[in-house]
């Protein structure tokens, strides 16, 4: 990712994405449900099981971050093409 795209991605992640996500009722409800489910599972697990749960939950988060960056780059690329850059 070039420097301009990196700066724009950081800005979008910090300032724009939260505003769009909070407008999506399905996302908000699903996020709250996932948090509650995680809390219930953590409460039922011993320390060793909690470490395994954390590792399991971290992997999809890593791949989602990569997908988010790729989607942003696609949008940025399309915008540049449409702007004739």
């Amino acid at each position: 990712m070039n420097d301009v795209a990196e700066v724009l991605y950081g800005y979008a992640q910090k300032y724009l994405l939260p505003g769009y996500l909070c407008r999506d009722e399905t996302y908000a409800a699903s996020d709250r449900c996932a948090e509650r489910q995680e809390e219930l599972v953590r409460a039922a697990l011993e320390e060793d099981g909690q470490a395994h749960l954390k590792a399991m939950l971290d992997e999809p988060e890593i791949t989602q971050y990569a997908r988010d960056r790729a989607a942003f780059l696609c949008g940025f690329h399309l915008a540049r093409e449409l702007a004739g850059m």
Side-chain angles (χ1 to χ4, degrees):
M1 191 180 308
N2 67 35
D3 291 340
V4 173
E6 189 68 45
V7 169
L8 290 173
Y9 179 71
Y11 176 83
Q13 284 289 99
K14 186 171 184 178
Y15 297 106
L16 300 177
L17 189 62
Y20 281 100
L21 287 176
C22 75
R23 295 180 210 169
D24 186 336
E25 292 178 23
T26 302
Y27 171 82
S30 179
D31 190 49
R32 285 190 304 271
C33 182
E35 285 178 5
R36 282 193 302 269
Q37 293 298 324
E38 183 180 341
E39 289 170 6
L40 291 170
V41 171
R42 283 188 189 284
L45 294 174
E46 304 269 333
E47 188 175 325
D48 196 40
Q50 288 186 20
H52 289 295
L53 176 65
K54 180 183 179 336
M56 182 186 78
L57 294 175
D58 283 348
E59 291 305 316
E61 193 172 305
I62 292 167
T63 56
Q64 185 59 49
Y65 177 77
R67 283 189 190 110
D68 291 346
R69 282 178 58 117
F72 177 83
L73 287 174
C74 288
F76 186 65
H77 179 83
L78 288 171
R80 288 179 61 197
E81 282 188 7
L82 291 171
M85 297 178 89

